[in-house]
Amino acid sequence: MFALVDCNNFYASCERAFNPKTIGKPLIVLSNNDGCIIARSEEAKKLGLKMGDPVFLFEETLKKYDVKIFSSNYPLYGDMSERVMNTLTELAPTIEIYSIDEAFLDLQGMPDELLDDYAIRVKKTVGQWTGIPISVGIASTKTLAKLANQLAKRHPDFNKQNICVLHNNQDINHLLRDFAVEKVWGVGDEYAVLLKKFGICSAYDLKIAHPKFIREHTNVIGERTVNELNGVSCIPIEQIPVAKKAICHARSFGREVSNFKLLSEAVANYAAGCARKLRKQKSCARIVTTYIETNRFKPHKKQYAQYKTIHLNIPSYSTNEIIKTAMSGLKMIYKDGYDYKKAGVMVDGLVPESQIQTNWLESKSKNFEQRKLMRSFDQINNTIGKDMVRIASQGFERKWKLRQEKLSPCYTSKWSDLLTIKI
DNA sequence: TCTGGGGTCCTAGGACCC
DNA sequence: TCTGGGGTCCTAGGACCC
């Protein structure tokens, strides 16, 4: 059996954990640049605020119902996530951290009659230790556990406790019949449209569909989903986090940028971000892509979007080399006279640091110097503060920076932001 | 005025190798 | 008039996930 633990309204719950005043009140968290709604408390959901909606459309509602609004605070969410995951690690022998707010637990060997009590204990412990409310779904495959988790959140039979256990021998077909096919894990909007053309509208319809038929019209993942719905486990727990195969750093600007210098500062910073992430997972990149685009939501203005991919002779994780490469890409695609809204850098073709093929034309000592330099670079920035040392092209002013007007303190990761309690 | 930022896997087709 | 069989790697595009 597998359990899927999912934090309820995770970002909203993180903000609320340190703001007891907001309990019972509608609360939302915004995307970067305070643009879209990306998390909502239950109260905010009831006001009809939708995930992904641009927030400026709802000014009136927000005011009328005194909705509490927060800019996203990723250091806080990241740290709270770690606390939740650490708690789960103490409660289960094997866990797979699936996303910032979700984890699968391997419950292999647990007697069926203990599952319900176990779910209650997990929910209670996580709540007590972290202040984050969770939902627990338990079933015989990961896909069914995801489904059970949805039921735990929304189905009237389960949402009082936010726990749903689908026991092995239990008849669950009636639950699957009421479960829309597009909500099944692995079925997105496009496949849902396709499946509905074949009369497959519910999870039950998909369960009784022929796996080979589904594979023909989708792919092998679709076939696997059918099997999983039938209780045949095809997707194992992945305990060890695997190294990323690509890393991307991209942001929309707080305001449009029309000169090369500012744009290049932003690109330099994104490139530096990629390099930092590369070193963190001990990988080097073979390919660096830079892209820029204007504001596509302003169709009346001149539009331009372009990217440039450059291959490195020797894979690298050095900040100055990644920046240099991203910069030469930028120079090739930059055009004067446009208002740019977004830029990004992506590194690709990652190889482990230990497996770098050196080029006999490049001197070994240069390579060695670079590594040493980067080690000191990270050491300084990790101890004293982010970007304390940086490449000059990253700039200092950061006029292109994000808008984050409603940012909460980093309660758990910055000494200066530690919560003060008056008694 | 204001519209996010990450990732993965699969498939098909083309270039290339022997 | 006739033209094999077996592979790999890379890329682009499309789907999916959070």
Side-chain angles (χ1 to χ4, degrees):
Chain A
M1 298 294 272
F2 299 89
L4 178 68
V5 171
D6 188 317
C7 301
N8 300 344
N9 318 321
F10 183 53
Y11 296 170
S13 298
C14 289
E15 297 292 352
R16 187 171 269 176
F18 294 92
N19 265 292
K21 273 188 218 159
T22 63
I23 292 172
K25 300 216 172 85
L27 181 160
I28 58 173
V29 176
L30 306 181
S31 63
N32 277 333
N33 276 321
D34 295 346
C36 295
I37 299 171
I38 55 165
R40 307 152 297 156
S41 70
E42 290 305 323
E43 300 79 7
K45 286 180 188 172
K46 281 185 190 135
L47 294 178
L49 301 170
K50 297 267 177 331
M51 184 79 174
D53 276 348
V55 68
F56 70 88
L57 296 175
F58 300 96
E59 220 117 286
E60 257 176 62
T61 314
L62 299 178
K63 209 174 235 172
K64 187 171 164 197
Y65 295 98
D66 188 27
V67 177
K68 305 295 171 205
I69 305 170
F70 292 90
S71 302
S72 32
N73 183 344
Y74 291 104
L76 175 66
Y77 311 151
D79 190 65
M80 291 303 281
S81 171
E82 210 178 305
R83 293 179 183 207
V84 170
M85 299 308 168
N86 287 342
T87 308
L88 293 175
T89 305
E90 298 216 11
L91 294 166
T94 307
I95 90 165
E96 172 189 341
I97 298 171
Y98 179 65
S99 74
I100 192 162
D101 72 331
E102 277 176 71
F104 286 101
L105 315 183
D106 187 353
L107 303 186
Q108 211 176 90
M110 185 174 292
D112 208 55
E113 63 274 15
L114 296 184
L115 292 173
D116 293 84
D117 284 345
Y118 177 75
I120 293 170
R121 188 155 66 90
V122 170
K123 170 146 180 85
K124 209 178 131 196
T125 312
V126 173
Q128 208 168 49
W129 291 10
T130 68
I132 300 292
I134 59 168
S135 297
V136 184
I138 297 181
S140 56
T141 67
K142 278 179 154 184
T143 304
L144 285 172
K146 284 283 273 187
L147 193 150
N149 192 282
Q150 298 262 323
L151 294 173
K153 282 209 168 80
R154 278 175 263 289
H155 196 282
D157 289 357
F158 309 105
N159 66 6
K160 303 281 174 300
Q161 281 199 296
N162 290 140
I163 288 171
C164 172
V165 181
L166 302 178
H167 290 279
N168 235 333
N169 318 319
Q170 181 189 356
D171 177 25
I172 57 169
N173 286 341
H174 65 286
L175 290 169
L176 299 192
R177 274 192 199 98
D178 284 336
F179 198 92
V181 74
E182 63 267 25
K183 289 192 181 156
V184 173
W185 190 40
V187 179
D189 292 344
E190 297 296 317
Y191 285 157
V193 170
L194 184 88
L195 291 172
K196 280 176 188 171
K197 280 190 194 145
F198 297 118
I200 298 169
C201 301
S202 69
Y204 178 74
D205 296 337
L206 187 57
K207 175 181 173 176
I208 60 170
H210 202 286
K212 292 294 171 213
F213 175 84
I214 298 299
R215 174 162 191 168
E216 255 173 58
H217 290 93
T218 62
N219 55 28
V220 67
I221 302 176
E223 179 182 12
R224 215 144 53 195
T225 301
V226 176
N227 287 325
E228 285 247 322
L229 285 173
N230 281 285
V232 180
S233 179
C234 308
I235 312 171
I237 292 263
E238 292 195 21
Q239 236 182 313
I240 313 134
V242 280
K244 302 230 181 310
K245 295 171 180 170
I247 288 170
C248 173
H249 206 108
R251 293 281 183 279
S252 301
F253 304 134
R255 55 175 215 219
E256 283 156 12
V257 166
S258 49
N259 78 63
F260 181 79
K261 185 166 177 295
L262 283 183
L263 196 60
S264 65
E265 262 185 27
V267 167
N269 276 284
Y270 303 157
C274 286
R276 187 173 354 105
K277 292 183 195 170
L278 278 172
R279 293 195 294 274
K280 202 169 171 197
Q281 73 160 31
K282 298 193 190 326
S283 294
C284 291
R286 281 185 296 164
I287 299 165
V288 179
T289 300
T290 310
Y291 72 89
I292 49 176
E293 63 188 53
T294 51
N295 192 342
R296 65 179 192 282
F297 294 107
K298 287 185 178 167
H300 54 282
K301 289 179 78 171
K302 279 194 299 177
Q303 296 287 319
Y304 177 66
Q306 191 56 267
Y307 69 87
K308 179 68 194 174
T309 299
I310 295 175
H311 290 243
L312 297 171
N313 289 331
I314 300 175
S316 172
Y317 59 29
S318 119
T319 297
N320 39 18
E321 205 158 331
I322 304 285
I323 289 183
K324 216 161 58 187
T325 312
M327 281 306 177
S328 55
L330 176 65
K331 279 179 196 145
M332 286 184 240
I333 54 177
Y334 177 78
K335 274 207 235 169
D336 243 336
Y338 290 92
D339 293 330
Y340 294 97
K341 180 63 180 171
K342 187 177 180 180
V345 175
M346 197 171 129
V347 291
D348 211 342
L350 306 193
V351 283
E353 174 194 17
S354 52
Q355 289 173 21
I356 302 296
Q357 297 278 331
T358 48
N359 182 333
W360 56 273
L361 288 171
E362 304 249 355
S363 76
K364 273 219 170 100
S365 63
K366 186 192 155 199
N367 206 328
F368 179 71
E369 291 298 318
Q370 272 298 321
R371 286 195 188 200
K372 236 168 68 179
L373 177 62
M374 283 304 119
R375 220 174 1 250
S376 314
F377 199 88
D378 287 337
Q379 236 162 41
I380 295 171
N381 285 340
N382 289 340
T383 14
I384 308 184
K386 210 178 146 198
D387 283 332
M388 274 299 158
V389 280
R390 68 181 104 177
I391 308 296
S393 57
Q394 289 180 251
F396 288 94
E397 284 188 70
R398 318 213 153 185
K399 282 189 183 149
W400 38 271
K401 231 180 66 183
L402 294 177
R403 214 177 15 250
Q404 286 186 311
E405 282 163 7
K406 322 257 187 193
L407 191 61
S408 55
C410 294
Y411 299 105
T412 63
S413 53
K414 246 192 209 171
W415 285 112
S416 55
D417 286 0
L418 211 57
L419 202 62
T420 317
I421 298 168
K422 290 184 188 138
I423 301 171

